[in-house]
């Protein structure tokens, strides 16, 4: 099966089974925005919940939920107003807009070589394309990938990715605010509030889950690059001399988290950023990458942000953000180790990773092998037939389990087909009420991946599931 076919199948399953829909679909959709359906919202919540538990059920990390709109000076201090830009070009003919680096990726290597030769230029095509002087020379030789015309591109311009809006009724410069492009700044500006209210000492962290918005020029690959998405970020404040140690610690912890939730180890890797390509604030940076059907892509960034953020906020706000280290009897601005994961992007990775097609007794089955903790529905309750008291018995089990788990009752059609529907939704356990149930109170529990069935006393079901799911 070609890798990109898999992607199509997953997108179609996501829609058919209610994981992900296009935003405003009946109006033709809104580019870069997606809605999470009944199964999807459960999966997303479970991912966030597992992250929240892993990150904040510790004595040295506190939670926070900061507002999306912040004082506009925040984004000046952070560098976003000035630097959060992508160079882009427009095709004057067909009006398509391209991010310059992505335009570069769209051109075949052979073609690049030819253009460089014809212009008698040496060097790396992609780098030259972003080099002010050479850029327009190269652009004049490129055919627009959309309409095919040559020499129709505007010069490259910087495009700020922040969404702008206004507070209050007057839409003027004085009322501009931005939809946050990352959750991190809400944490930085609250550093001392959290530290003093929670009486924390360094090293400690602040964790937050929330929406972020980026006016991405090219949205593509389903949930990978969207304009509205969710981040799960944690900023860990450390004494400057301990930065390297904590950076390594968080690298290990974060990779282990994906593995602990069943993500295929061979599809995960670190991509360390070379020192000469680090962002202006970073001393060290790595991406945790997942091997998507379209190639390796970042799902989380881990950065040593030094004291850049707090120093800048100190400078721009005029308020001291220094920490008083009682043991060392000194004041300093802490270094920050950041772990910044995309909830929506890792959602996509978990979904793709779980997707399997297999043949069972000559029949094809599609199964989402989610770790039970992430599975949208934990158990399906299926009366074998719709008579002899089986539906009533099954309904009682449903009522009982519903107090603790998201469960699903299904009494329609052949049981084999009902199992397949649950496989496709990633439900780890299917509980069937049959003739024997009526005699001895036991039910069969079928496990999704092995398809093995065991008999369990219906009174023990809750304990059985708790143990298996390890809630
Ligand atoms: P990229 O280079 O892919 O645009 P980035 O390096 O700008 O990503 P960060 O700013 O480090 O990303 O953001 C941290 C995480 O937030 C990313 O690892 C990713 O999971 C998520 N993320 C960032 N931008 C988007 C987006 N447009 N859509 C979905 N998730 C995103």
């Amino acid at each position: 099966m070609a890798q990109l076919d898999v992607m199509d199948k997953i997108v179609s399953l996501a829609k058919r089974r209610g994981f992900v829909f296009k935003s405003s679909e009946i109006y033709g959709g809104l580019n870069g925005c997606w809605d999470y359906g009944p199964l999807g919202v459960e999966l997303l919540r479970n991912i966030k919940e597992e992250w929240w538990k892993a990150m904040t059920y510790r004595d040295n990390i506190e939670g926070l939920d900061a507002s999306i709109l912040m004082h506009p000076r925040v984004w000046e201090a952070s560098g976003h107003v000035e630097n959060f830009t992508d160079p882009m070009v427009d095709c004057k003919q067909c009006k398509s807009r391209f991010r310059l680096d992505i335009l570069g990726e769209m051109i075949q290597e052979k073609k690049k070589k030819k253009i460089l030769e014809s212009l008698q230029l040496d060097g790396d095509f992609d780098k030259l394309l972003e080099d002010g002087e050479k850029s327009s020379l190269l652009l004049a030789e490129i055919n627009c990938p959309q309409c095919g015309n040559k020499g129709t591109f505007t010069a490259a311009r910087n495009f700020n990715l922040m969404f702008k809006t206004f507070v209050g009724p007057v839409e003027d410069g004085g009322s501009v605010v931005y939809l946050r492009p990352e959750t991190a700044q809400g944490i930085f500006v609250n550093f001392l509030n959290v530290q003093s209210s929670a009486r924390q000492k360094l090293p400690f962290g602040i964790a937050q889950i929330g929406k972020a918005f980026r006016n991405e020029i090219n949205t593509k690959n389903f949930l990978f690059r969207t304009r509205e998405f969710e981040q799960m970020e944690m900023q860990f404040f450390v004494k400057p001399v301990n930065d390297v140690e904590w950076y390594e610690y968080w690298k290990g912890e974060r990779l282990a988290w994906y593995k602990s939730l069943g993500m295929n180890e061979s599809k995960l890797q670190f991509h360390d950023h070379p020192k000469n390509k680090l962002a202006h604030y970073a001393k060290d940076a790595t991406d945790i990458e997942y091997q998507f059907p379209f190639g390796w892509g970042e799902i989380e960034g881990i950065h040593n942000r030094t004291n850049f953020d707090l120093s800048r906020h100190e400078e721009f706000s005029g308020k001291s953000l220094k920490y008083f280290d009682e043991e060392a009897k000194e004041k300093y601005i802490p270094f920050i180790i950041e772990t910044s994961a995309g909830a929506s992007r890792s959602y996509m990775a978990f979904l793709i990773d779980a997707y399997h097609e297999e043949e069972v007794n000559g029949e094809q089955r599609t199964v989402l092998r989610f770790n039970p903790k992430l599975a949208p529905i934990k158990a399906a309750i299926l009366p074998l037939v719709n008579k002899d008291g089986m539906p009533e018995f099954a309904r009682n089990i449903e009522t009982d389990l519903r107090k603790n788990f998201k469960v699903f009752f299904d009494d329609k059609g052949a049981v084999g087909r009902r199992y397949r529907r649950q496989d496709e939704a990633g439900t780890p356990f299917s509980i069937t009420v049959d003739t024997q149930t009526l005699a001895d109170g036991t039910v069969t529990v079928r496990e999704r991946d092995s398809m093995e069935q065991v008999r369990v006393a219906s009174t023990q079901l809750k304990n059985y599931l708790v143990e298996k799911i390890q809630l």
Side-chain angles (χ1 to χ4, degrees):
M1 193 169 29
Q3 287 298 292
L4 290 174
D5 287 354
V6 179
M7 205 56 225
D8 286 344
K9 286 186 182 174
I10 292 170
V11 173
S12 129
L13 177 129
K15 172 170 171 159
R16 186 163 42 81
R17 294 308 308 266
F19 281 93
V20 182
F21 309 125
K22 269 187 189 160
S23 157
S24 338
E25 193 182 351
I26 59 168
Y27 289 96
L30 180 66
N31 232 336
C33 299
W34 298 87
D35 297 344
Y36 294 84
L39 290 182
V41 67
E42 296 296 332
L43 175 61
L44 186 61
R45 288 174 66 103
N46 293 340
I47 292 170
K48 290 189 285 185
E49 184 61 20
E50 286 307 314
W51 184 89
W52 192 255
K53 283 195 210 157
M55 300 305 274
T56 71
Y57 287 16
R58 318 173 171 237
D59 62 3
N60 59 356
I61 298 188
E62 307 289 344
L64 179 74
D65 189 355
S67 69
I68 288 175
L69 301 177
M70 301 179 73
H71 195 289
R73 292 278 282 166
V74 167
W75 307 109
E76 288 171 31
S78 69
H80 282 81
V81 170
E82 199 182 336
N83 298 320
F84 197 52
T85 54
D86 275 339
M88 50 124 218
V89 290
D90 289 310
C91 170
K92 286 183 257 181
Q93 196 69 36
C94 69
K95 311 281 180 244
S96 299
R97 178 166 283 183
F98 299 91
R99 225 169 85 178
L100 207 51
D101 58 336
I102 291 182
L103 181 66
E105 281 172 21
M106 291 167 121
I107 304 168
Q108 287 180 335
E109 289 308 317
K110 257 195 337 215
K111 178 85 185 160
K112 289 182 183 171
K113 223 172 132 198
K114 235 171 119 187
I115 296 178
L116 289 178
E117 275 168 14
S118 72
L119 294 169
Q120 298 182 329
L121 286 174
D122 270 340
D124 179 76
F125 187 95
D126 295 338
K127 283 206 187 99
L128 292 174
L129 192 58
E130 300 205 24
D131 167 342
E133 256 176 56
K134 308 283 173 354
S135 178
S136 43
L137 288 177
L138 294 181
L139 282 169
E141 300 300 319
I142 297 174
N143 295 72
C144 168
Q146 190 62 33
C147 67
N149 284 303
K150 192 164 125 182
T152 50
F153 288 115
T154 59
R157 277 177 293 158
N158 276 337
F159 174 75
N160 195 296
L161 301 187
M162 284 197 293
F163 281 100
K164 241 185 214 176
T165 186
F166 305 91
V167 283
V170 186
E171 297 193 1
D172 67 10
S175 60
V176 165
V177 289
Y178 301 96
L179 300 190
R180 67 181 177 201
E182 61 177 30
T183 54
Q185 301 299 327
I187 294 180
F188 302 144
V189 299
N190 275 300
F191 161 61
L192 282 184
N193 281 341
V194 174
Q195 187 263 324
S196 60
S197 59
R199 307 172 78 204
Q200 280 287 359
K201 287 197 170 70
L202 251 53
F204 80 96
I206 305 178
Q208 173 168 227
I209 298 176
K211 289 257 173 154
F213 304 83
R214 296 183 187 179
N215 200 0
E216 301 278 4
I217 301 165
N218 298 92
T219 55
K220 60 171 188 178
N221 292 330
F222 194 34
L223 306 173
F224 189 80
R225 190 175 301 290
T226 56
R227 297 203 165 111
E228 175 176 340
F229 55 97
E230 254 179 313
Q231 289 189 312
M232 307 185 288
E233 294 198 302
M234 193 280 299
Q235 313 291 332
F236 204 71
F237 301 86
V238 303
K239 194 170 178 173
V241 289
N242 299 330
D243 64 335
V244 174
E245 178 193 326
W246 282 109
Y247 175 73
E248 292 304 325
Y249 171 82
W250 283 113
K251 269 180 78 169
E253 284 287 285
R254 293 306 305 144
L255 186 69
W257 183 77
Y258 293 98
K259 292 184 187 167
S260 76
L261 291 171
M263 212 178 256
N264 185 343
E265 290 196 34
S266 69
K267 295 197 166 182
L268 284 165
Q269 70 177 19
F270 282 120
H271 169 241
D272 293 333
H273 292 207
K275 295 272 182 213
N276 60 350
K277 288 215 164 163
L278 290 174
H280 57 284
Y281 52 76
K283 176 169 159 190
D284 238 322
T286 194
D287 297 337
I288 296 179
E289 292 188 333
Y290 179 77
Q291 192 175 28
F292 290 99
F294 47 83
W296 290 96
E298 169 187 343
I299 51 176
E300 171 159 352
I302 298 158
H303 312 122
N304 178 348
R305 302 184 64 112
T306 66
N307 60 7
F308 174 81
D309 308 279
L310 293 181
S311 307
R312 292 278 289 190
H313 285 302
E314 200 175 74
E315 182 188 335
F316 279 67
S317 68
K319 301 266 159 41
S320 165
L321 292 175
K322 292 192 181 56
Y323 169 80
F324 179 65
D325 185 330
E326 278 170 31
E327 269 163 39
K329 298 269 179 280
E330 53 174 329
K331 260 187 164 183
Y332 52 82
I333 295 186
F335 269 32
I336 293 175
I337 308 302
E338 163 181 78
T339 69
S340 173
S344 345
R345 237 189 235 179
S346 31
Y347 174 103
M348 180 170 154
F350 279 117
L351 183 62
I352 290 172
D353 203 62
Y355 185 88
H356 288 85
E357 287 178 8
E358 52 192 40
E359 209 180 283
V360 180
N361 303 330
E363 256 188 66
Q364 189 79 6
R365 85 162 178 156
T366 300
V367 54
L368 292 179
R369 295 181 192 269
F370 292 126
N371 179 294
K373 287 182 185 157
L374 299 185
I377 296 168
K378 306 300 183 208
I381 299 133
L382 319 169
L384 191 60
V385 289
N386 256 326
K387 55 181 187 186
D388 304 333
M390 287 184 209
E392 292 77 7
F393 201 103
R395 284 284 183 202
N396 285 338
I397 293 177
E398 179 200 3
T399 310
D400 198 35
L401 291 182
R402 219 185 260 299
K403 293 177 199 144
N404 299 89
F405 309 99
K406 185 85 184 163
V407 295
F408 181 75
F409 182 91
D410 187 8
D411 61 355
K412 307 221 168 37
V415 77
R417 288 196 49 196
R418 283 184 265 164
Y419 284 151
R420 294 286 177 272
R421 279 185 61 75
Q422 293 311 315
D423 291 343
E424 218 183 39
T427 308
F429 303 102
S430 290
I431 296 163
T432 306
V433 171
D434 55 16
T435 324
Q436 195 179 328
T437 312
L438 305 175
D440 64 8
T442 64
V443 293
T444 66
V445 179
R446 171 191 180 268
E447 200 272 328
R448 176 197 65 207
D449 300 344
S450 64
M451 291 177 288
E452 271 167 19
Q453 304 198 6
V454 289
R455 286 207 84 85
V456 177
S458 61
T459 48
Q460 286 306 307
L461 274 173
K462 181 185 158 193
N463 291 345
Y464 182 86
L465 292 178
V466 167
E467 195 178 305
K468 288 281 178 187
I469 302 170
Q470 293 181 341
L471 280 177

